[in-house]
Amino acid sequence: LISLQLKPKPNEIHANILFQKNKLMLLETIIPKDFDFEMDSIQGIQKLLPAINLMKRSLKNKVGIIELADCVHLERNYFSTLFKKVLGVTPINYYHQLRCISAQLLLQDRAVTIEAIAQELGYVDAFHFSKSFKRIIGVSPSEFRKSSLLNIP
């Protein structure tokens, strides 16, 4: 069997590297800068990991505190307290941050409309998505798209 491998064009390689760099940079914003990596925190993250993974898998379908707490076998209030102690944000704020990170990645593609991104991430409509995005990121999705596309050579 002969396999053909097409060599990517230099601009495709550059775009892919830029995309991966942006993805890593965005994912780094999930953990607070002043995060304390003590043993208790590491054990806390390990305990919360199934809930964090459920959030990542459920960006389109909203997931509630009770469901998150149940997946790690904790009582709702203790789950929320532990989550805030370990990650520095509430579970709901963390979930909104994850959705915004996904939105930032999707906004890199000019072919994907803001309405489509809102629908993909489970928002009621583009207005609610834009309002939430601006509250968390500080700029509207269209402003973010314009500024991020200016940085691509």
Side-chain angles (χ1 to χ4, degrees):
L1 294 170
I2 299 174
S3 73
L4 294 175
Q5 284 190 322
L6 299 176
K7 245 185 156 177
K9 297 176 184 171
N11 59 345
E12 290 173 349
I13 293 171
H14 180 72
N16 187 34
I17 290 170
L18 185 61
F19 176 78
Q20 296 301 328
K21 182 180 172 185
N22 285 340
K23 186 176 176 182
L24 283 173
M25 183 178 68
L26 293 171
L27 291 175
E28 287 172 355
T29 64
I30 294 172
I31 297 177
K33 288 181 176 58
D34 60 346
F35 186 76
D36 184 7
F37 280 100
E38 293 178 9
M39 187 54 79
D40 290 344
S41 296
I42 293 170
Q43 290 171 347
I45 288 177
Q46 289 173 338
K47 179 71 175 169
L48 296 171
L49 203 53
I52 292 168
N53 288 332
L54 178 59
M55 286 183 199
K56 289 178 182 179
R57 290 190 311 270
S58 304
L59 293 178
K60 184 173 183 172
N61 307 315
K62 288 187 179 180
V63 60
I65 293 291
I66 294 172
E67 188 178 354
L68 292 169
D70 286 348
C71 89
V72 293
H73 312 290
L74 295 175
E75 189 271 328
R76 183 182 73 162
N77 289 334
Y78 181 70
F79 168 76
S80 294
T81 303
L82 179 64
F83 200 99
K84 171 95 173 159
K85 178 184 174 192
V86 170
L87 292 174
V89 294
T90 66
I92 297 303
N93 286 341
Y94 186 86
Y95 181 67
H96 288 300
Q97 289 174 7
L98 285 176
R99 290 170 91 188
C100 283
I101 289 168
S102 293
Q104 288 174 315
L105 294 173
L106 292 169
L107 285 165
Q108 302 288 325
D109 184 352
R110 190 175 277 243
V112 182
T113 66
I114 291 175
E115 291 79 13
I117 293 170
Q119 185 177 22
E120 176 67 25
L121 295 175
Y123 287 91
V124 175
D125 55 34
F127 174 77
H128 286 92
F129 162 64
S130 295
K131 188 175 172 182
S132 178
F133 188 90
K134 185 169 185 172
R135 180 176 44 83
I136 294 168
I137 304 301
V139 295
S140 71
S142 56
E143 290 170 334
F144 178 85
R145 176 175 269 168
K146 285 177 193 170
S147 68
S148 67
L149 292 177
L150 289 176
N151 296 328
I152 299 175

